[in-house]
Amino acid sequence: MRVIRGRVFFRGRLDALSLGIGENGKIVAVKKSLRGDEEVDHGDSLILPGCVDLHVHMRDPGLTDKEDFPSGTRSAAMGGVTTIAEMPNTAPPVTSRLAYEEKVAALRGRGAVDYVLYAAPRSEEAVTRLGEAAAFKAYMAESTGALQVGPGELEGILRGAQTSRKLVVVHAEDPRQFMRGKVRGLEDYSAARPKAAESSALHWLASSRGEARIHIAHVTCVEALDAVPSGATCEVTPHHLFLDTSRPIGARGKVNPPLRLPVDREALWDAFRAGRIDAIASDHAPHTLDEKGVPFDEAPAGLPGVATSFPLLMRRTRAGEIDLARLVSATASRPAEILGIAKGIIEVGRDADLLVVDPRTAERIRAKRLRYKCGWTPFEEMEACFPHTVYLRGESVVEDGEPAAEGQGRLVSTE
Ligand code: DOR
Ligand code: ZN
């Protein structure tokens, strides 16, 4: 048995503990002290469950000039993420069983972390054919990948998902609320795809979803949080918590739904700290700098973030702005529950997916260190606290803050 020691987040609190790891990469014992054939002592560092990121676009297959599965999952691991849920707007889009199977085959053996795949059915019948996917994604408005569905199609998808008890993750913006006109920058963009478009889409969902299990992607403001249908879960991105329309980043900050005003961002922070947000998800959506370097109107929406999500939040936790339990819940245990996967918690019988972090180490974010294929980050220069070691099923995938292994990520099944 291998033993990993440190200050472990176990059953809701930190304790100096030893974790025994079995041959199969599972936690087999949690004790004050344990002896093993191989022992690693992380001293005062915190050992937390590896993060589960519910929302990433790794662009593989088909869009690999922006990112690919090895590069994107390597960056994920560096940010403490050990399981990702990969979105279906790759090329070809995952709208058919064949495309799903091809994507599974294309990604096999190439990821540094574990993963599940979303599909995007476009009708009630397609829901049945895509039953192998972990969950479904439905776009109510246009965004990268042109997978938008109309209300009639979405009703069919929700009916199908209700029958099969599958989770539907909804990009909830109502395009009828979008304004036309010249968009020159972030403030114009927020006005063009306003907060009201989110609330309107959520009101529609509240009355149309029947008994389907739904999760609301990237909620940007408190008005939208207030409109999340009861019983539904929701996520917020780090860019809506850490960036707003006052940042001088132009089209690099263009994303759907848009960055909001500073006052909206502050209110969203308060809501997060108050426990009103189930999960933090990066919506890692890289585009190249060439693609972003055109007039704002023409630039693609989306920005990278999988490697900086946990480190930005850990820094704020260290500063006393967030409870550690809140952080662990939003980045690991709750997203795993939402997906229905046996991840996101340190417990006997679970996979030893762990991140080890020394909260006293703060560093400024530099794009180069993150190793995104797109080569940039909108969080440049912000203070963050990166894990120094990350374990995937007991094997280190990050050591001394650097990628240490790749290719052992597996497709995870849902319960
Ligand atoms: O800004 C966005 N970019 N929003 C989405 O919904 C899709 C994403 C992408 O894939 O680029
Ligand atoms: Zn997305």
Side-chain angles (χ1 to χ4, degrees):
M1 182 173 74
R2 295 177 54 223
V3 171
I4 298 172
R5 265 191 217 109
R7 292 168 64 212
V8 180
F9 189 84
F10 182 59
R11 299 189 179 162
R13 53 178 235 179
L14 283 177
D15 263 319
L17 290 171
S18 298
L19 302 174
I21 318 293
E23 289 293 317
N24 55 4
K26 291 196 189 292
I27 300 169
V28 293
V30 182
K31 291 264 162 63
K32 275 269 164 237
S33 88
L34 282 169
R35 288 256 84 95
D37 342 306
E38 199 191 320
E39 301 183 4
V40 187
D41 194 341
H42 289 296
D44 277 348
S45 287
L46 311 186
I47 302 185
L48 310 179
C51 301
V52 176
D53 192 331
L54 284 174
H55 192 151
V56 304
H57 302 262
M58 295 307 188
R59 308 302 196 198
D60 203 336
L63 304 164
T64 51
D65 55 326
K66 301 175 196 280
E67 189 72 283
D68 59 38
F69 207 53
S71 63
T73 53
R74 203 181 297 137
S75 299
M78 286 187 57
V81 175
T82 48
T83 305
I84 54 165
E86 157 67 7
M87 284 293 166
N89 59 339
T90 33
V94 186
T95 49
S96 67
R97 189 178 183 129
L98 180 64
Y100 178 82
E101 283 166 0
E102 283 178 357
K103 186 161 176 177
V104 169
L107 303 187
R108 189 173 295 133
R110 296 171 61 228
V113 299
D114 284 356
Y115 54 98
V116 300
L117 305 182
Y118 290 108
R122 302 182 63 80
S123 64
E124 189 169 348
E125 299 70 51
V127 167
T128 324
R129 290 195 294 273
L130 286 163
E132 273 179 57
F136 303 130
K137 175 73 179 287
Y139 291 87
M140 294 176 73
E142 167 285 324
S143 204
T144 310
L147 287 172
Q148 179 183 354
V149 289
E153 290 158 312
L154 184 50
E155 275 167 354
I157 294 164
L158 292 167
R159 266 197 308 277
Q162 179 175 327
T163 312
S164 58
R165 299 305 302 146
K166 279 258 160 165
L167 179 71
V168 185
V169 176
V170 186
H171 179 129
E173 283 182 286
D174 178 352
R176 290 172 309 179
Q177 303 285 331
F178 292 175
M179 317 277 185
R180 302 214 174 280
K182 186 88 185 143
V183 175
R184 290 179 195 81
L186 293 176
E187 239 177 85
D188 289 353
Y189 200 57
S190 177
R193 295 177 74 125
K195 295 190 282 181
E198 291 181 64
S199 313
S200 169
L202 291 166
H203 289 134
W204 183 89
L205 273 172
S207 60
S208 313
R209 70 163 168 150
E211 300 285 308
R213 235 171 17 104
I214 57 175
H215 172 78
I216 312 303
H218 39 51
V219 171
T220 72
C221 57
V222 169
E223 292 84 340
L225 266 185
D226 289 339
V228 170
S230 74
T233 53
C234 70
E235 73 190 29
V236 162
T237 70
H239 46 273
H240 291 110
L241 285 176
F242 287 87
L243 307 174
D244 56 46
T245 51
S246 70
R247 286 243 146 199
I249 51 176
R252 291 193 196 188
K254 183 176 176 185
V255 63
N256 294 330
L259 299 181
R260 302 300 182 194
L261 306 185
V263 55
D264 297 313
R265 184 171 77 79
E266 278 158 29
L268 199 60
W269 256 112
D270 291 341
F272 174 50
R273 289 161 34 147
R276 295 191 61 202
I277 290 159
D278 294 279
I280 298 292
S282 70
D283 195 4
H284 177 74
H287 296 284
T288 64
L289 281 178
D290 278 353
E291 290 165 322
K292 285 286 197 179
V294 297
F296 194 99
D297 251 349
E298 295 155 36
L303 42 82
V306 73
T308 48
S309 183
F310 172 84
L312 283 166
L313 291 166
M314 186 67 231
R315 181 73 190 92
R316 294 299 178 96
T317 306
R318 165 70 179 168
E321 290 173 45
I322 313 168
D323 282 349
L324 186 64
R326 185 92 271 286
L327 176 76
V328 171
S329 167
T331 57
S333 49
R334 195 75 181 112
E337 270 169 29
I338 291 169
L339 276 175
I341 56 174
K343 295 281 195 183
I345 187 163
I346 296 178
E347 194 45 87
V348 172
R350 294 298 186 112
D351 288 343
D353 295 347
L354 312 166
L355 70 84
V356 192
V357 64
D358 179 349
R360 290 165 301 197
T361 56
E363 64 181 278
R364 289 196 184 273
I365 292 174
R366 308 256 187 257
K368 203 163 166 229
R369 159 123 159 69
L370 308 178
R371 292 182 169 72
Y372 297 145
K373 197 163 185 182
C374 67
W376 64 279
T377 168
F379 304 103
E380 189 82 36
E381 290 290 325
M382 287 192 174
E383 277 201 4
C385 183
F386 286 83
H388 55 77
T389 310
V390 178
Y391 297 96
L392 178 70
R393 286 178 270 101
E395 299 298 326
S396 51
V397 288
V398 173
E399 289 171 11
D400 297 325
E402 299 293 322
E406 50 194 75
Q408 61 271 70
R410 287 188 200 150
L411 185 67
V412 177
S413 53
T414 45
E415 280 149 5

